[in-house]
């Protein structure tokens, strides 16, 4: 199911991502910088797919091989803009990739990750309205119009022109409707209009907005629809990336609370793009969710916990100061307490690791108790090995379980033990050196040490 309206023309997208992104000051391509734990380009590609876009062409230039590698499994076509000659020239590079396509092309930007599927569908639908415009443009009204190009349009959205800020009169600069650059054109018109764009301007570049004037000059209509400024916010610097991240997080927090979660200090909780949070979940301050986290109904995430690639079961409790790494699975009503790290390990229902513990590559049975300071020694420098702890087992504090090893159901491991072989069910395992006591030794040690210290001071 998509947001595309019924009986609409096929959709393609031309995503412009050929800019050098110099303001990011990075070796990583601009559109691959993460937003909510995922490259910003992937957010856009998913929105386009949800809108019903069947063909996607990404235009790349500098560092384009990074983008090509990132999308190689998504069925996305790549087209190269070898010279940076402007946005119209960039869009024209998609002509070969879409030579067999007859429908509507949405031209958008890889650094605008929040463009919504519904907005793309609205833009395409406007192009197919009864008045049959040649071009549909997405406009917005920012709090500070700054140097954006202005959209000069009638009340019904019929456009007269787009004027760049530097070329605008004082009256035109007073217009608050700005051009986002996102444009819909039928491919039957697009290539002709793009090829007709000239570069008679101060920068000597071929600008995409010029297709509006060309269509109007042909006696065709050009129209604008509006969306919110946040949705079309472009990212050109680290500061702008942080700003868009903040906007995304704010919206996601509101959604989490609307869906039945309690966020004690919402502004301190950070979600990933795919975080799933159930009802009656309580999330305390300063919690970070990386990608791949599911939190079931009724769970509690205490403050300062870091969770990534993990599943938290119904009524389970995490933290404070806990770390769940990829592969961590917490059963119903299990508990992972302060300064506990779990990696690729499963805790059964009601199992507890309350504090100061590392459990990696392990299976912990239901109702087991893992004492403070316990570690699973799962790595020998070359290979990982698995630890299995049965249901109802009790592992005493400061124990080291050297994998591969199995602790049977109901077994007890005495505190301070280093366990290197299996422990049968209901057995007690004690692995300790025999205690030695030397009466008076401590007093004699102090006497010798104090005398030695006195001689050194006297010198």
């Amino acid at each position: 199911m998509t947001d595309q309206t019924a009986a609409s023309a096929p959709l393609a997208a031309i995503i412009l991502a050929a800019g050098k992104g110099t303001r990011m000051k990075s070796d990583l391509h601009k559109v691959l910088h993460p937003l909510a734990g995922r490259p910003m380009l992937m957010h856009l590609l998913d929105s386009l797919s949800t809108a019903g876009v069947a063909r996607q062409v990404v235009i790349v230039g500098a560092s384009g091989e990074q983008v090509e590698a990132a999308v190689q499994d998504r069925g996305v076509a790549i087209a190269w803009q070898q010279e940076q000659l402007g946005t119209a020239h960039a869009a024209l590079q998609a002509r070969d990739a879409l030579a067999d396509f007859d429908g509507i092309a949405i031209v958008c930007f890889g650094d605008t990750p929040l463009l919504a599927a519904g907005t793309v569908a609205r833009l395409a639908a406007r192009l197919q309205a009864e008045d049959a415009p040649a071009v549909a443009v997405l406009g917005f009204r920012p709090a500070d119009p700054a140097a954006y190009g202005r959209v000069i349009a009638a009340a019904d959205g019929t456009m007269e022109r787009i004027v760049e800020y530097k070329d605008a009169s004082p009256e035109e600069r007073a217009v608050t409707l700005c051009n986002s650059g996102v444009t819909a054109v039928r491919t039957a018109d697009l290539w002709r209009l793009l090829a007709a764009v000239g570069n008679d301007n101060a920068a000597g570049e071929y600008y995409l907005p010029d297709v509006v004037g060309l269509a109007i000059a042909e006696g065709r209509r050009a129209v604008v629809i509006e969306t919110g400024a946040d949705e079309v916010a472009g990212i050109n610097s680290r500061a702008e990336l942080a700003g868009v991240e903040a906007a995304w997080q704010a919206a996601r927090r509101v959604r989490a609370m609307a869906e039945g979660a309690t966020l004690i200090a919402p502004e301190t909780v950070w979600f990933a793009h795919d975080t799933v949070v159930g009802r009656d979940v309580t999330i305390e301050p300063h919690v970070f969710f990386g990608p791949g986290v599911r939190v079931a109904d009724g769970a509690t995430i205490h403050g300062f916990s870091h969770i990534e690639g993990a599943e938290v079961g119904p009524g389970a409790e995490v933290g404070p100061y806990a770390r769940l790494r990829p592969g961590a699975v917490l059963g119903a009503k299990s508990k992972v307490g302060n300064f506990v790290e779990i990696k690729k390990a499963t805790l059964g229902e009601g199992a507890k690791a309350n504090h100061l513990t590392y459990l990696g590559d392990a299976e912990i049975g239901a109702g087991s108790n893992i004492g403070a300071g316990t570690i699973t020694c799962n790595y020998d420098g070359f290979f990982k090995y698995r630890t299995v702890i049965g249901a109802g087992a009790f592992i005493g504090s400061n124990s080291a379980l050297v994998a591969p090893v199995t602790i049977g159901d109901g077994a007890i491991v005495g505190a301070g033990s280093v366990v290197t072989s299996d422990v049968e069910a209901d057995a007690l395992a004690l692995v300790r050196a025999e205690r030695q006591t030397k009466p008076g030794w401590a007093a004699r040690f102090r006497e010798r040490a104090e005398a030695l210290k006195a001689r050194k001071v006297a010198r």
Side-chain angles (χ1 to χ4, degrees):
M1 182 177 292
T2 74
D3 289 329
Q4 187 179 359
T5 56
S8 61
L11 300 182
I14 301 171
I15 302 104
L16 306 188
K20 294 181 179 179
T22 54
R23 290 169 56 193
M24 295 296 286
K25 301 289 193 297
S26 177
D27 293 331
L28 181 67
H29 195 289
K30 177 173 67 171
V31 301
L32 300 181
H33 279 260
L35 172 70
R38 192 180 197 202
M40 66 174 86
L41 177 62
M42 304 308 171
H43 288 265
L44 177 62
L45 294 179
D46 279 353
S47 286
L48 293 169
S49 295
T50 302
V53 173
R55 302 273 290 273
Q56 299 177 353
V57 183
V58 180
I59 312 301
V60 299
S63 301
E65 65 281 353
Q66 295 182 11
V67 179
E68 189 172 25
V71 301
Q72 63 180 348
D73 297 327
R74 294 186 61 104
V76 173
I78 295 290
W80 289 80
Q81 185 188 27
Q82 301 297 348
E83 295 183 87
Q84 309 299 296
L85 300 179
T87 50
H89 178 263
L92 193 58
Q93 307 314 300
R95 180 164 49 185
D96 289 346
L98 296 176
D100 62 342
F101 181 81
D102 182 17
I104 293 172
I106 308 291
V107 184
C108 52
F109 301 87
D111 61 1
T112 310
L114 300 187
L115 183 63
T119 301
V120 173
R122 283 199 301 123
L123 192 64
R126 182 64 187 89
L127 199 69
Q128 300 171 89
E130 291 183 2
D131 57 349
V135 180
V137 170
L138 186 61
F140 68 109
R141 298 181 189 272
D144 178 10
Y148 289 109
R150 300 303 200 267
V151 176
I152 310 303
D156 66 354
T158 300
M159 296 174 60
E160 298 177 16
R161 63 190 179 279
I162 295 177
V163 57
E164 295 303 318
Y165 179 83
K166 63 180 178 297
D167 299 323
S169 67
E171 292 77 15
E172 290 169 333
R173 291 182 179 182
V175 172
T176 58
L177 184 58
C178 297
N179 177 30
S180 73
V182 181
T183 305
V185 188
R186 293 175 184 82
T187 52
D189 297 318
L190 179 63
W191 312 123
R192 181 187 76 260
L193 292 172
L194 288 174
V197 171
N199 66 342
D200 185 16
N201 52 61
E205 293 190 354
Y206 300 88
Y207 290 132
L208 177 64
D210 287 354
V211 300
V212 170
L214 290 169
I216 293 172
E218 292 180 352
R220 309 284 297 281
R221 285 169 59 86
V223 296
V224 62
I225 68 169
E226 294 188 37
T227 193
D230 284 348
E231 188 179 344
V232 290
I235 297 172
N236 295 293
S237 67
R238 308 275 185 157
E240 290 176 351
L241 176 60
V244 173
E245 178 83 44
W248 189 96
Q249 292 292 340
R252 183 64 183 86
R253 294 164 191 148
V254 169
R255 180 181 136 201
M257 291 184 286
E259 292 174 349
T262 294
L263 276 59
I264 304 299
E267 68 281 3
T268 69
V269 176
W270 289 79
F271 293 106
H273 65 97
D274 59 352
T275 306
V276 177
V277 178
R279 295 179 61 179
D280 295 317
V281 169
T282 297
I283 303 174
E284 292 185 355
H286 300 288
V287 172
F288 181 89
F289 294 98
V293 176
R294 300 180 65 89
V295 182
D297 295 351
T300 298
I301 312 298
H302 294 291
F304 296 94
S305 294
H306 189 289
I307 305 175
E308 180 176 3
E311 295 185 22
V312 179
E317 192 172 349
V318 178
Y321 296 97
R323 184 181 182 195
L324 303 186
R325 292 169 58 192
V329 178
L330 275 56
K333 297 183 179 179
S334 61
K335 183 177 180 182
V336 171
N338 50 289
F339 303 106
V340 174
E341 180 178 350
I342 309 289
K343 190 275 297 182
K344 203 174 180 181
T346 299
L347 268 66
E349 182 175 356
K352 298 177 181 179
N354 280 327
H355 32 217
L356 301 164
T357 293
Y358 169 72
L359 300 173
D361 296 278
E363 180 180 339
I364 317 300
S368 289
N369 187 92
I370 312 300
T374 296
I375 60 171
T376 55
C377 306
N378 57 322
Y379 182 51
D380 65 1
F382 296 92
F383 302 102
K384 298 289 183 69
Y385 302 93
R386 193 157 182 80
T387 296
V388 177
I389 299 174
F394 184 95
I395 310 300
S397 298
N398 241 27
S399 294
L401 309 179
V402 183
V405 69
T406 297
I407 311 299
D409 294 348
I412 296 175
V413 173
S417 295
V418 177
V419 180
T420 58
S421 59
D422 293 351
V423 178
E424 65 186 42
D426 294 319
L428 169 65
L430 291 173
V431 188
R432 301 172 182 163
E434 183 178 352
R435 172 179 164 176
Q436 296 184 19
T437 302
K438 298 181 179 182
W441 186 94
R444 293 192 295 273
F445 168 76
R446 286 192 295 271
E447 182 178 343
R448 290 193 301 269
E450 287 170 356
L452 177 60
K453 184 177 181 180
R455 286 197 297 272
K456 288 184 177 181
V457 171
R459 291 176 187 170

